[in-house]
Amino acid sequence: MPDDETRTLSPATPANTPTKPTAPQTAEAAQGPAPWLLRLVVVGLVLTALNLRPAITSLGALLEEVRDGLHMSGSVAGVLTSVPPLCFAVFGIMAPRLARRFGPGAVVCAGMIAITAGLVIRPLVGGTAGFLAASALALMGIAVSNVLMPVIVKRWFPDRVGSMTGLYSMALALGTSLAAAVTVPMTSALGGSWRLGLGVWAALAAVAILPWIPVVRDRSGAPGQPVAQHAGTGTPALKITRSRTAWALACFFGLQATAAYITMGWMPQIFRDAGVSAGTAGVLLAVTMAMGVPLAFVIPRVAARMRNQGPIVVFLGSCGLIGYAGLYLAPAGGAWAWALLLGISNCSFPLALTMIGMRSRTGAGVVRLSAFAQSVGYLISIPGPLLIGVLYQHSGGWELPIALMAGLMVPQMAVGILAGRDRTIENEC
């Protein structure tokens, strides 16, 4: 007997339709998508995940050169660093409607095209306004792809949510750390032009378009069709805001994103102010980010085997609390240990993605939940890095900001425990 996912995603067959024409459809539904198509989806997931952060981290690596080249003020540069979570929140809301209209695969393909176009245009413009607009175009593609990645996994691999989430989470972490690590030396190798250093990442995004083209064009597998065709005409719309689990997951996503953006933006400065050299501080940040590569593959697989993900939430949060305590008491003395612990704590991101895929029984529900949790979550994350900067400037040290970082871990663990309970949003909406 087929499970809920199969029943929900299989096209409905009218009772009065003749048997002969429906036989091929029945066979296709039973067999599922062709193996070559599934392999293409896996390749597409990996390549897409690799492109979900280089537009951001490559800019961070060259921000000083971009500011000088575009005569950008410090305040505008500050706005630029806050644009990614804002775009993720605003454009991510569009993803469910686009997925219902065109299908998740087509929207992700369009997202890769938008990233490519934004990364090509961004280095060519001569002013700040054009640079911001091109960055927003790339971030729009990232935002809709962010939301739909768990949907693609749920639709094409309903029995492998943990392993497939782990695979693309690992690719996402790899793309993040790779862009941060190689953008500066690659720019130097290309003659020192920041425009070339930023624009070269468009090539990787262009490659990610290719596997989605045959997936979108194929019409043999039911998972490739738009969401609306699988939801069923009689399926009531989910009132996602009535779900306590959805709100808990959105808050968990937002608080873990806050911690991640604070870590990426401020951790090197914390170490440098403690007497660590600039080069070593950069390496420590790279270590923190690199921890996400192996753990992003392991954690979703473990989480998918558990009925309740609360223990993982507590473990990751505890690592964060110990790491922040170390930064407070002995930032230079145990710098490598604190970097490792905070890297482990930042793996709450792939855990959140895994829980999005597990907290709904249907593909349509995952679309709504993913858009809601990520959009609300990124809105929650916007003030965090700015607040840390204000506290640092006004207090003259890192004691108060680090205390705030540690304090935020407590509600993160609390809402994460609620989000990790074994229930689905369909039972609450």
Side-chain angles (χ1 to χ4, degrees):
M1 180 176 180
D3 56 16
D4 288 337
E5 181 72 19
T6 304
R7 288 197 299 270
T8 303
L9 299 182
S10 298
T13 303
N16 58 353
T17 304
T19 303
K20 185 175 181 180
T22 60
Q25 296 176 6
T26 304
E28 283 179 0
Q31 294 174 0
W36 67 268
L37 200 58
L38 289 174
R39 286 192 288 269
L40 267 183
V41 173
V42 173
V43 173
L45 281 170
V46 172
L47 289 176
T48 297
L50 285 172
N51 282 281
L52 293 183
R53 293 298 180 271
I56 302 168
T57 50
S58 63
L59 176 59
L62 297 174
L63 185 58
E64 183 175 345
E65 289 79 2
V66 172
R67 286 183 58 187
D68 293 340
L70 296 178
H71 308 291
M72 190 182 297
S73 68
S75 59
V76 173
V79 170
L80 186 61
T81 59
S82 300
V83 165
L86 178 61
C87 286
F88 292 167
V90 172
F91 294 126
I93 299 173
M94 301 163 49
R97 180 172 297 182
L98 293 172
R100 288 194 298 270
R101 178 72 174 83
F102 302 105
V107 177
V108 171
C109 183
M112 293 300 102
I113 294 173
I115 295 172
T116 304
L119 294 181
V120 168
I121 297 170
R122 186 165 70 172
L124 300 178
V125 298
T128 300
F131 190 90
L132 287 170
S135 296
L137 177 61
L139 291 168
M140 178 176 65
I142 295 173
V144 295
S145 300
N146 268 337
V147 170
L148 294 180
M149 292 290 274
V151 179
I152 296 286
V153 169
K154 183 76 169 182
R155 171 147 309 188
W156 290 86
F157 309 98
D159 56 340
R160 287 182 281 167
V161 170
S163 60
M164 295 307 301
T165 301
L167 180 64
Y168 84 73
S169 297
M170 183 174 64
L172 192 152
L174 179 61
T176 304
S177 56
L178 186 67
V182 309
T183 295
V184 172
M186 185 169 57
T187 301
S188 299
L190 293 172
S193 170
W194 64 265
R195 297 181 185 273
L196 284 176
L198 291 181
V200 72
W201 292 103
L204 182 62
V207 173
I209 299 171
L210 302 179
W212 293 109
I213 295 175
V215 173
V216 173
R217 290 171 61 90
D218 183 82
R219 292 294 182 266
S220 63
Q225 302 301 318
V227 174
Q229 295 181 14
H230 302 292
T233 55
T235 302
L238 290 173
K239 292 180 171 56
I240 196 77
T241 55
R242 294 183 178 179
S243 169
R244 292 187 296 273
T245 297
W247 278 107
L249 192 48
C251 292
F252 177 69
F253 195 97
L255 289 170
Q256 67 80 28
T258 299
Y261 279 108
I262 289 173
T263 299
M264 287 187 288
W266 291 109
M267 196 175 78
Q269 191 64 49
I270 294 174
F271 285 129
R272 292 182 66 175
D273 288 351
V276 177
S277 68
T280 302
V283 173
L284 287 166
L285 177 60
V287 168
T288 299
M289 297 168 66
M291 288 297 296
V293 177
L295 291 180
F297 185 71
V298 174
I299 288 176
R301 293 171 64 91
V302 175
R305 294 191 180 101
M306 301 174 65
R307 295 178 64 87
N308 188 320
Q309 290 75 44
I312 303 179
V313 171
V314 173
F315 170 74
L316 297 178
S318 299
C319 288
L321 285 174
I322 297 171
Y324 286 131
L327 284 181
Y328 188 96
L329 298 172
W336 294 99
W338 317 142
L340 287 171
L341 285 168
L342 291 174
I344 295 172
S345 179
N346 280 348
C347 288
S348 296
F349 175 69
L351 176 61
L353 294 178
T354 305
M355 290 196 289
I356 287 174
M358 298 178 68
R359 296 287 90 90
S360 176
R361 296 193 300 267
T362 68
V366 174
V367 174
R368 297 290 304 277
L369 180 58
S370 183
F372 178 79
Q374 295 198 46
S375 296
V376 173
Y378 281 121
L379 282 175
I380 292 172
S381 72
I382 292 172
L386 299 176
L387 180 58
I388 293 298
V390 170
L391 290 175
Y392 172 58
Q393 181 177 351
H394 283 55
S395 67
W398 284 108
E399 289 80 6
L400 189 57
I402 292 174
L404 175 61
M405 298 178 206
L408 290 175
M409 276 291 159
V410 177
Q412 177 178 321
M413 286 191 286
V415 294
I417 291 171
L418 294 176
R421 294 176 300 175
D422 183 22
R423 59 189 61 194
T424 60
I425 58 172
E426 286 83 0
N427 296 331
E428 299 176 340
C429 296

